[in-house]
């Protein structure tokens, strides 16, 4: 086995899917080999990572031990959704939800490229079906409902699938009286789905109102770099507790968009 393969095997995120007392998914993937394939795609980043703001080269093995935080200046490097799940959820307790949900190009949208092709490219690159992963698992021994957005999938844009997955997760957390944690990383609502993407803001906010106000259950929002647009204008800013990573860029609409 080569040194490169050894490090890659070390970085694989395995063993998350374990025994659990109840069925939490609506259409989860049961094929373990397929799941491992997706996980290996998500975590293969090579041996070195470059810091965007200063160009320093960082050794991935040590960087992972530091939870993707640069030891020199405390800068938080980008993480994909699977890496965040690995960081937060207790080993062998993660159960994903709605993994097979795939968006449809109802508007037949096309700009420099077709929407269908953009989605296919992102699916191939990330191993995900869309820009968010949802599920349940234990965090420090406490069962939580967790949703994690992935900026590597079309800039973490919120379309119908992301909105539906987050909505279903909140409804499940409300029904089971679970604390909810959503990790935001998004460029905002997905342009290629037009008004359909904007509708997700109201849909998610309405189920959060039931979760927080009517059922008095905890919701923690975590803002990472970047969190913008419709995500900021909806569930990103509705947490009972809102936590932002160091120097995370958070905005509603950028100067160029306004102009």
């Amino acid at each position: 086995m080569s040194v490169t393969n050894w490090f890659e095997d070390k970085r694989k995120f395995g063993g998350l899917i374990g025994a659990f007392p109840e069925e939490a998914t609506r259409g989860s993937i049961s094929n373990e080999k397929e799941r491992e394939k997706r996980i290996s795609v998500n975590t293969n980043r090579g041996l070195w990572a470059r810091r965007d703001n200063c160009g320093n080269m960082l050794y991935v093995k040590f960087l992972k031990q530091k939870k993707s935080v640069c030891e020199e200046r405390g800068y938080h490097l980008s993480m994909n959704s699977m890496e965040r799940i690995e960081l937060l959820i207790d080993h062998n307790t993660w159960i994903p939800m709605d993994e097979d949900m795939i968006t449809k190009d109802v508007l037949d949208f096309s700009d420099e490229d077709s929407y269908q092709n953009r989605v296919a490219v992102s699916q191939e690159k990330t191993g995900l079906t869309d820009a968010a992963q949802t599920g349940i698992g234990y965090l420090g021994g406490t069962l939580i409902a967790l949703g994690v957005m992935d900026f590597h999938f079309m800039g973490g844009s919120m379309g119908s699938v992301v909105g539906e997955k987050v909505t279903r997760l909140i409804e499940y957390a409300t029904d089971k009286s679970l604390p909810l944690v959503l990790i935001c990383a998004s460029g905002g609502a997905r342009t290629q789905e037009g008004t359909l993407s904007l509708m997700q803001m109201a849909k998610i906010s309405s189920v959060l109102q039931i979760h927080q106000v009517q059922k008095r259950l905890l919701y923690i929002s975590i803002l990472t770099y970047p969190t913008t647009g419709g995500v900021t204008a909806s569930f990103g800013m509705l947490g009972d507790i809102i936590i932002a990573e160091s120097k995370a860029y958070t905005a509603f609409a950028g100067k160029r968009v306004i102009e």
Side-chain angles (χ1 to χ4, degrees), residues 104-115:
K104 293 185 177 180
D105 186 12
V106 296
L107 301 180
D108 194 23
F109 190 96
S110 180
D111 43 34
E112 292 91 351
D113 198 356
S114 69
Y115 180 35

Side-chain angles (χ1 to χ4, degrees), residues 1-14 36-48 59-62 64 82-83 86:
M1 178 182 295
S2 69
V3 174
T4 300
N5 290 336
W6 184 86
F7 277 114
E8 288 177 351
D9 289 339
K10 283 290 185 179
R11 290 198 302 275
K12 284 183 179 179
F13 181 42
E36 289 177 352
K37 180 181 178 182
R38 288 186 176 186
I39 290 170
S40 65
V41 169
N42 284 341
T43 56
N44 182 11
R45 299 195 336 184
L47 295 177
W48 298 88
Y59 192 29
V60 167
K61 179 182 178 181
F62 298 149
K64 187 172 183 180
M82 193 58 72
E83 290 170 325
E86 180 184 19

Side-chain angles (χ1 to χ4, degrees), residues 71-131:
E71 191 173 30
E72 182 181 345
R73 297 185 181 178
Y75 183 80
H76 289 61
L77 277 76
S78 174
M79 299 176 69
N80 62 38
S81 56
M82 193 58 72
E83 290 170 325
R84 292 194 180 276
I85 293 170
E86 180 184 19
L87 177 65
L88 291 174
I89 298 300
D90 297 347
H91 180 68
N92 207 36
T93 67
W94 174 248
I95 295 183
M97 299 172 64
D98 303 307
E99 285 186 301
D100 289 336
M101 195 178 294
I102 299 175
T103 189
K104 293 185 177 180
D105 186 12
V106 296
L107 301 180
D108 194 23
F109 190 96
S110 180
D111 43 34
E112 292 91 351
D113 198 356
S114 69
Y115 180 35
Q116 288 182 330
N117 190 56
R118 288 186 184 277
V119 170
V121 169
S122 288
Q123 289 174 340
E124 177 68 22
K125 181 178 70 174
T126 64
L128 304 175
T129 56
D130 216 288

